[in-house]
Amino acid sequence: MGHLPMDVTAGGVSFLLWQSIVVMAVTAIGAMMAHSALAVFNDGARPFMLDFVRGKTNRAATATIVFGLSAGFIFGLGAPMALATGVLNPWLIFLPAEILGLLAPWRWLAGVAGAAWGAVCAFGLGTVNSVAQQLPVDFITALQVLGDPILWLFSMFPVLAVARQFGRLRGFITLLVEAGMIVLATQLWPDMFAGSLAMALGVVLLLVFALTKDRTAKSEEKVALAAMNADQRTAAAEAEATSAAAVNQLFGPNALRLRKNIVWLALLGGAVAALSATHIFGGGEATSFLLADGKVTEAAQVDFYRAFGFIPLIATTALASGAYAMAGFTFVYPVGYLIGAGFDSPALALAVAFVAGAVVMALEVLALSWVGNWLQRWPSVRDSADHIRSAITESLQVAILVGSVMAASQMGGGFGIFLVGGLYLVNEALGRPVVRMAAGPAAVIVSGVLLNLLYLVGLFTPIAA
């Protein structure tokens, strides 16, 4: 399918018709899944699905909650990221689709509304991008400088996760190992993104530290158990069985609900993998920039490692609510990217990606209960996932803020930095009405519009003029 995912003309971007149809199909299916509370993308919204399924909250109330949790990500992160890269992302297409799906009174209407939103994204992105680039102050091109800090600082998340979970010594060792890998990869494989290789090594070190800690703890438990008398061992076994029964009673009905709808979930997984195979969709911030540069293999690596940080959260919330994630454990992303790069025929690539994505999603649903129980037995691995997720958020917040200030400088010099930095700080002072990760890009867009208005009245001269 080549490396360029879209037509790039005169500085603008437009998707091919078949790519736009795939986007509309995916948003339609996603909206129908949200309508039935079978899958939502927003991890924070998933716990509310159980009350909705049980009839304790109605559609309007649930949709309002989900909108409140999602608005910042849609307008502050998803839209700017798509405008900057020309690549769609889950915040822009999944979050509005699930809100529309929850609002729609009938499933068919949810599908129609979802498809309509997909059309807005697929056909509107290029138009908005082209119009914005014709403005005197081109804040869309300025947003593209977000790419470098996001790509490189994202590679730091294993270092942060190791430092927080296993202390400063192991964290410093991981930092040195990653830095060494970047130097080595830059010399040996200059065409590859060195940060993805360093990140892979960091994730491996994190898992080694976690598994070693858990194996040590298990060995100590065996020694302690051997020292008990028969009555104490029986009591310990009964306590463990009681705990397992409580977990099964809590999670069992929801796991059964998901298994009963495995065909629908497999359809969703296949659709998301097919969308990923078009290469006009990236599952994360760093992935969007990598796909925009045609670095498909590196994008697959990044989303593969990133998935491990979200497995416990997605598995736990899915088992607790009976609603799965739009992209499952997100392994369908790298599967789609790689399949899309492996076939010259778009139709064949989409078909193979769909089948592979459906199989991956079905296996995930079938394995959910097992994953939940496995994580209970390996607490350090489970905790590592929490630290990975926190580290990803932390590194991206810094990267996006740095990139936003760079964009501000590019479009408005010192005054641009004043506006973007000032809006970011005001948002912090007001208690973050816009989520921190989205505040920087949102400030760049608001400042870009303001600078254009000042130019129209003769109070600002663009830097490039």
Side-chain angles (χ1 to χ4, degrees):
M1 295 175 73
H3 287 305
L4 274 180
M6 68 289 288
D7 283 342
V8 180
T9 55
V13 56
S14 63
F15 300 137
L16 303 175
L17 179 60
W18 65 268
Q19 293 173 324
S20 300
I21 292 173
V22 172
V23 175
M24 294 167 63
V26 171
T27 49
I29 295 170
M32 288 191 289
M33 299 296 286
H35 172 86
S36 304
L38 284 175
V40 290
F41 177 76
N42 193 321
D43 294 322
R46 208 166 297 122
F48 295 96
M49 292 300 109
L50 186 60
D51 283 344
F52 174 64
V53 171
R54 290 177 173 174
K56 294 182 179 178
T57 56
N58 58 30
R59 289 195 174 280
T62 306
T64 301
I65 293 171
V66 175
F67 178 80
L69 293 170
S70 305
F73 289 102
I74 297 170
F75 302 111
L77 185 62
M81 205 63 68
L83 289 170
T85 62
V87 175
L88 298 173
N89 55 66
W91 304 283
L92 184 63
I93 68 169
F94 287 153
L95 292 178
E98 69 191 30
I99 294 169
L100 292 170
L102 285 167
L103 277 173
W106 306 288
R107 178 179 282 189
W108 67 266
L109 186 57
V112 171
W117 177 250
V120 169
C121 294
F123 297 108
L125 178 63
T127 304
V128 174
N129 188 287
S130 299
V131 170
Q133 288 186 343
Q134 302 304 316
L135 295 173
V137 180
D138 180 6
F139 57 88
I140 297 300
T141 300
L143 275 171
Q144 292 175 1
V145 302
L146 285 167
D148 280 344
I150 286 178
L151 288 175
W152 287 103
L153 289 179
F154 187 77
S155 306
M156 280 290 295
F157 83 77
V159 177
L160 300 181
V162 169
R164 292 197 184 283
Q165 187 173 6
F166 300 106
R168 65 183 70 176
L169 175 61
R170 289 182 174 86
F172 190 64
I173 291 172
T174 308
L175 174 62
L176 290 179
V177 169
E178 283 207 17
M181 172 54 79
I182 289 175
V183 173
L184 188 66
T186 304
Q187 298 298 319
L188 296 180
W189 307 289
D191 293 334
M192 293 192 67
F193 174 54
S196 64
L197 298 174
M199 182 171 40
L201 205 51
V203 171
V204 169
L205 281 176
L206 175 63
L207 291 176
V208 168
F209 292 145
L211 289 171
T212 302
K213 183 178 180 181
D214 280 345
R215 289 181 68 85
T216 303
K218 286 177 183 294
S219 298
E220 292 173 353
E221 285 177 9
K222 285 182 180 178
V223 172
L225 195 61
M228 295 179 179
N229 58 38
D231 291 340
Q232 288 173 323
R233 282 197 290 272
T234 301
E238 288 177 351
E240 187 175 351
T242 302
S243 175
V247 171
N248 289 332
Q249 186 176 10
L250 178 64
F251 291 161
N254 295 326
L256 180 62
R257 178 177 189 259
L258 293 173
R259 286 198 295 272
K260 282 182 176 177
N261 290 281
I262 193 169
V263 174
W264 277 101
L265 291 165
L267 174 67
L268 178 64
V272 175
L275 176 62
S276 303
T278 64
H279 298 166
I280 65 169
F281 170 85
E285 302 86 346
T287 315
S288 296
F289 285 98
L290 288 169
L291 288 174
D293 285 341
K295 297 183 182 300
V296 176
T297 303
E298 288 86 344
Q301 284 182 311
V302 168
D303 271 354
F304 178 77
Y305 304 131
R306 178 194 177 102
F308 289 100
F310 289 86
I311 289 176
L313 175 66
I314 292 172
T316 304
T317 54
L319 289 170
S321 67
Y324 202 37
M326 284 278 186
F329 291 149
T330 69
F331 288 118
V332 291
Y333 294 155
V335 167
Y337 304 151
L338 295 177
I339 291 176
F343 292 86
D344 291 329
S345 165
L348 185 58
L350 292 183
V352 174
F354 179 83
V355 172
V359 170
V360 169
M361 188 75 105
L363 290 175
E364 288 179 5
V365 173
L366 292 174
L368 262 180
S369 295
W370 180 84
V371 171
N373 290 327
W374 189 87
L375 289 170
Q376 296 297 322
R377 295 196 298 272
W378 295 87
S380 292
V381 177
R382 183 190 60 216
D383 293 345
S384 291
D386 293 337
H387 286 288
I388 287 175
R389 202 169 55 254
S390 298
I392 287 174
T393 301
E394 198 173 346
S395 59
L396 283 176
Q397 284 175 346
V398 174
I400 290 174
L401 177 59
V402 170
S404 298
V405 173
M406 290 167 62
S409 176
Q410 182 171 315
M411 69 181 182
F415 186 47
I417 295 174
F418 171 82
L419 288 175
V420 171
L423 287 172
Y424 182 90
L425 292 173
V426 168
N427 183 65
E428 289 286 309
L430 295 179
R432 298 184 202 130
V434 179
V435 292
R436 180 178 279 170
M437 194 180 294
V444 172
I445 292 180
V446 171
S447 300
V449 172
L450 182 60
L451 290 175
N452 277 290
L453 293 174
L454 291 174
Y455 169 81
L456 289 177
V457 297
L459 293 177
F460 176 73
T461 302
I463 297 296

